[in-house]
């Protein structure tokens, strides 16, 4: 091997001592312990500097946060309650606001949570801060702050527990025997989550009451109802207390909502002036749907019309028969009417129905030869031998202002409403369900279960009605792929059903009990 050396030019000598001097000048000795350190304005090493200065001084190492077990919200001073998940960005911001006043002289570099037992009622946060100390030296320190969770009931939950503390109530009423409109309204409220702000929901005869802690929430519900169902409203308020020093008044407000007394499958008699304004419709009409307007159809001509709330209250009309008066008929003969010509000024006709002339006989009078002739809008569904539900006008005593003034020859003997199917089979095949609001029930009628089944059947038969309703698949029922005794009853497809999510699905089964005993 050969040694490679570098020759210096003549007249130049290697100054080895100068390089040692440069290295020595780049380091200095700590003024306290004498350890060589890089130069800094304090002339002290980090260990000695920390013994002299604590930059976390004045920052509390244990802080209390208040948590409401009922609504699972944290208190953000002075009086705001916010929803925060464990180790979330919102909870981190809330905890840092607790320390904000004590961290005005330091600079926050990093903050994060340390894992703790979910039931320990402790939240630990690791903070990294910087501060300029001793002649401009910047010191960085990492420490842990422990937040102790204490339970405290929020004002909203206090009002819920009191059950009598409310500032506004919305009283919804409908003077009808059937509750189809209320069942439909309940699903709309659940879909738009308007029931969450209510302190209490109480179901009573002919209606339902919503109690709220603020007038603004009640007004929001009133606006929703006015856009959803045909109704009219009245407002009143009662003075509870008055502070003469601050000139503040405490009122309890009441909003009264009256829904039109017409439900689906009701037969109505329109005022002559209203029937003429709707395109010269017949006065005897059937209500096929109630949404934001009343949808009517003339069973003699298939003319359809919509009546909104304002029009109804200017020209009110009532239902002629209640659903309890529906009777079962059997179709003896049916002839479809094609190319029906309407008079001048006629309105729109329905494209989803077919006009037909049918001969029917009551199933309770099969031992007689009495048959009834009528026109119906169910020509696309009825065949000879089918069962159909309808009202018997020929043998009924009906008192109505506009019906009594009509020509008796223009009154139908029977008005058919809907085709009849075996209810037990429909219930057995039904593999879906609806959500229900939690409410107090008082004076419930024994007929409510039958009315609720009627509403479920209406959803199966009317596709336009169930577009505004969230329908969930019932996992407890096994769907029937093939049914040998299928009677052709309408059904809801799986494409229209939603999967019902539970809290265990969203949190992995453990998130619900993270902050409870």
């Amino acid at each position: 091997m050969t040694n490679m050396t570098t020759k210096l030019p003549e007249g130049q000598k290697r100054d080895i001592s100068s390089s040692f001097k440069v290295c020595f000048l780049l380091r200095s000795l700590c003024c306290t312990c004498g350890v060589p350190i890089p130069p800094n304005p304090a002339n002290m090493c980090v260990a000695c500097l920390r013994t002299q200065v604590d930059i976390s001084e004045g920052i509390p190492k244990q802080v209390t946060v208040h948590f409401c077990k009922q609504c699972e919200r944290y208190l953000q001073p002075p009086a705001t309650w916010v929803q925060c998940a464990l180790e979330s960005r919102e909870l981190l911001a809330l905890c840092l606001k607790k320390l904000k006043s004590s961290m005005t002289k330091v600079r926050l570099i990093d903050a994060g949570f340390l894992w703790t037992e979910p039931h320990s009622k402790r939240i630990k946060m690791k903070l990294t801060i910087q501060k300029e100390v001793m002649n401009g030296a910047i010191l960085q320190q990492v420490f842990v702050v422990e937040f102790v969770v204490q339970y405290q009931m929020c004002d909203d939950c206090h009002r819920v527990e009191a059950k009598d503390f409310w500032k506004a109530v919305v009283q919804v009423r409908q003077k009808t025997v059937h509750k189809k409109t209320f069942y439909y309204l309940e699903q709309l409220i659940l879909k738009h989550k308007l029931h969450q702000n209510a302190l209490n929901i109480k179901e009573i005869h002919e209606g339902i009451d919503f109690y709220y802690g603020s007038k603004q929430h009640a007004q929001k519900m009133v606006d929703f109802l006015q856009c959803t169902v045909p109704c009219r409203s009245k407002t009143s308020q009662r003075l509870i207390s008055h502070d003469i020093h601050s000139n503040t008044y405490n009122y309890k407000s009441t909003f009264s909502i009256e829904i039109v007394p017409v439900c689906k499958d009701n037969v109505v008699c329109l005022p002559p002036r209203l029937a003429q304004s709707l395109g010269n419709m017949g006065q005897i009409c059937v209500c096929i749907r109630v949404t934001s307007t009343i949808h009517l159809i003339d069973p003699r001509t298939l003319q359809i019309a919509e009546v909104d709330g304002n029009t109804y209250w200017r020209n009110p009309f009532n239902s002629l028969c209640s659903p309890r008066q529906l009777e079962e008929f059997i179709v003896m003969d049916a002839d479809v009417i094609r190319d029906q010509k309407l008079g001048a000024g006629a309105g729109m006709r329905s494209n989803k129905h077919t006009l037909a002339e049918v001969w029917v006989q009551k199933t309770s009078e099969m031992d007689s030869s009495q048959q009834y002739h009528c026109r119906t809008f169910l020509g696309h569904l009825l065949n000879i031998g089918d069962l159909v539900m309808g009202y018997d006008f020929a043998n009924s005593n009906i008192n109505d202002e506009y019906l009594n003034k009509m020509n008796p020859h223009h009154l139908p003997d029977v008005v058919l409403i809907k085709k009849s199917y075996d209810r037990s089979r429909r219930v057995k095949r039904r593999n879906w369900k609806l959500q229900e609001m939690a409410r107090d029930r008082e004076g419930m009628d024994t007929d409510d279960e039958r009315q609720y089944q009627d509403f479920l059947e209406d959803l199966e038969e009317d596709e336009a009605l169930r577009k505004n309703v969230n329908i969930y698949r019932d996992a407890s029922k096994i769907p029937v792929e093939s049914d040998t005794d299928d009677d052709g009853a309408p059904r809801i497809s799986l494409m229209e059903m939603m999967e019902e999510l539970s809290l265990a699905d969203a949190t992995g089964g453990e998130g619900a009990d993270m902050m409870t005993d």
Side-chain angles (χ1 to χ4, degrees):
M1 294 181 63
T2 58
N3 293 329
M4 299 183 63
T5 58
T6 305
K7 273 189 175 183
L8 293 174
E10 293 183 2
Q12 185 175 352
K13 297 181 179 179
R14 185 186 298 273
D15 190 359
I16 302 177
S17 60
S18 61
S19 61
F20 282 104
K21 290 179 181 179
V22 173
C23 294
F24 180 77
L25 291 174
L26 290 177
R27 301 184 68 83
S28 61
L29 299 179
C30 175
C31 64
T32 302
C33 62
V35 176
I37 59 172
N40 61 65
N43 288 329
M44 295 176 67
C45 64
V46 175
C48 295
L49 194 58
R50 286 180 176 171
T51 60
Q52 298 293 328
V53 180
D54 182 13
I55 64 175
S56 65
E57 184 180 2
I59 301 176
K61 304 303 185 294
Q62 192 175 65
V63 185
T64 301
V65 293
H66 295 92
F67 177 75
C68 179
K69 290 198 300 183
Q70 276 73 14
C71 60
E72 298 184 353
R73 294 187 298 176
Y74 291 88
L75 174 62
Q76 180 176 319
T80 305
W81 292 84
V82 294
Q83 194 89 25
C84 301
L86 284 178
E87 299 189 3
S88 64
R89 183 178 300 178
E90 293 79 10
L91 184 58
L92 182 66
L94 185 143
C95 293
L96 288 177
K97 286 182 180 179
K98 287 273 188 179
L99 305 174
K100 185 177 180 181
S101 59
S102 60
M103 297 178 61
T104 55
K105 298 181 180 180
V106 298
R107 180 184 178 188
L108 181 63
I109 301 301
D110 188 25
F113 289 105
L114 296 178
W115 187 86
T116 55
E117 286 288 344
H119 303 282
S120 64
K121 300 179 184 177
R122 297 291 188 274
I123 300 174
K124 291 187 177 181
M125 181 186 297
K126 185 170 101 173
L127 300 177
T128 304
I129 59 175
Q130 285 183 354
K131 185 180 181 181
E132 184 177 337
V133 297
M134 288 191 182
N135 303 324
I138 297 177
L139 185 63
Q140 180 170 307
Q141 185 174 342
V142 180
F143 64 100
V144 176
V145 178
E146 184 180 66
F147 294 86
V148 181
V149 179
Q150 289 188 357
Y151 292 143
Q152 177 179 332
M153 187 177 291
C154 65
D155 295 337
D156 295 337
C157 293
H158 265 297
R159 295 166 185 166
V160 174
E161 292 297 326
K163 295 186 182 300
D164 293 329
F165 188 89
W166 53 270
K167 291 187 177 181
V169 59
V170 179
Q171 300 175 343
V172 186
R173 300 289 184 269
Q174 187 183 30
K175 298 178 180 179
T176 56
V177 178
H178 207 286
K179 297 183 178 180
K180 287 185 179 181
T181 306
F182 279 109
Y183 291 135
Y184 174 69
L185 192 59
E186 176 187 14
Q187 297 304 315
L188 293 180
I189 292 174
L190 287 170
K191 182 176 182 178
H192 295 87
K193 300 180 180 179
L194 290 176
H195 65 292
Q196 295 180 345
N197 295 325
L199 301 180
N200 190 25
I201 302 175
K202 185 180 296 184
E203 184 174 348
I204 62 175
H205 180 61
E206 289 188 350
I208 187 169
D209 293 342
F210 297 88
Y211 295 89
Y212 293 94
S214 67
K215 186 178 179 180
Q216 290 76 13
H217 290 156
Q219 185 64 54
K220 184 178 180 181
M221 171 61 81
V222 173
D223 296 340
F224 173 78
L225 293 175
Q226 290 177 341
C227 297
T228 305
V229 291
C231 60
R232 61 180 176 181
S233 63
K234 293 181 180 180
T235 306
S236 63
Q237 58 184 9
R238 179 165 58 95
L239 180 64
I240 303 301
S241 61
H242 174 215
D243 189 352
I244 60 176
H245 300 288
S246 60
N247 199 27
T248 57
Y249 296 83
N250 183 19
Y251 289 99
K252 278 192 174 182
S253 302
T254 301
F255 298 88
S256 178
I257 305 295
E258 183 181 359
I259 304 176
V260 296
V262 178
C263 289
K264 186 179 183 299
D265 297 338
N266 284 163
V267 179
V268 299
C269 183
L270 300 179
R273 183 176 299 178
L274 178 60
Q276 184 178 4
S277 65
L278 295 177
N280 292 325
M281 289 184 67
Q283 289 184 248
I284 303 297
C285 295
V286 178
C287 177
I288 57 176
R289 192 182 306 116
V290 177
T291 54
S292 58
T293 58
I294 305 173
H295 298 255
L296 302 174
I297 186 171
D298 186 353
R300 294 178 57 85
T301 61
L302 289 187
Q303 281 187 249
I304 56 175
E306 295 182 9
V307 179
D308 58 8
N310 295 330
T311 304
Y312 175 84
W313 297 116
R314 287 196 301 266
N315 303 277
F317 51 87
N318 296 317
S319 174
L320 301 180
C321 303
S322 66
R324 295 181 181 178
Q325 295 175 290
L326 279 173
E327 298 189 51
E328 190 177 55
F329 296 85
I330 184 171
V331 179
M332 307 303 293
D333 191 13
D335 294 324
V336 175
I337 301 176
R338 304 186 185 277
D339 300 329
Q340 170 78 9
K341 292 185 179 180
L342 301 178
M348 295 180 56
R349 293 186 60 184
S350 174
N351 297 324
K352 298 181 180 180
H353 303 86
T354 302
L355 189 64
E357 288 186 349
V358 295
W359 286 88
V360 294
Q361 186 175 2
K362 288 184 181 180
T363 55
S364 60
E365 300 177 353
M366 294 301 294
D367 54 346
S368 65
S369 60
Q370 178 66 38
Q371 294 186 4
Y372 303 92
H373 174 266
C374 65
R375 283 194 175 188
T376 179
F377 57 93
L378 302 176
H380 59 297
L381 297 176
L382 299 182
N383 296 306
I384 298 177
D386 288 343
L387 298 178
V388 62
M389 306 299 294
Y391 295 107
D392 181 9
F393 274 59
N395 301 314
S396 298
N397 184 14
I398 302 174
N399 293 321
D400 184 79
E401 176 185 359
Y402 305 110
L403 186 69
N404 295 335
K405 296 178 182 179
M406 288 183 61
N407 188 344
H409 299 287
H410 294 166
L411 295 178
D413 293 337
V414 173
V415 178
L416 302 181
I417 302 299
K418 59 182 179 179
K419 187 176 178 180
S420 178
Y421 301 95
D422 189 346
R423 171 162 289 185
S424 60
R425 293 180 182 177
R426 298 184 71 169
V427 174
K428 183 179 179 180
R429 287 196 301 260
R430 188 173 294 140
N431 59 342
W432 55 273
K433 61 182 179 179
L434 301 176
Q435 291 184 338
E436 294 186 14
M437 287 190 304
R439 57 188 182 271
D440 297 336
R441 300 174 183 266
E442 295 183 1
M444 299 303 296
D445 194 354
T446 56
D447 197 38
D448 287 347
E449 180 60 29
R450 183 189 64 82
Q451 296 183 14
Y452 187 69
Q453 291 298 327
D454 289 342
F455 173 69
L456 297 182
E457 293 176 0
D458 291 341
L459 290 179
E460 292 177 335
E461 297 169 4
D462 194 346
E463 183 179 357
L465 187 65
R466 62 175 180 262
K467 283 183 179 179
N468 300 324
V469 177
N470 287 340
I471 299 174
Y472 297 91
R473 189 175 66 88
D474 192 353
S476 61
K477 291 187 177 181
I478 302 176
V480 180
E481 297 296 336
S482 60
D483 198 351
T484 55
D485 56 350
D486 189 5
D487 54 358
R491 302 170 64 179
I492 298 179
S493 63
L494 290 174
M495 297 293 294
E496 299 178 80
M497 301 181 192
M498 302 173 61
E499 292 290 341
E500 187 174 19
L501 296 178
S502 62
L503 189 59
D505 298 333
T507 61
E510 298 180 357
D513 300 315
M514 294 185 76
M515 293 304 299
T516 57
D517 292 333

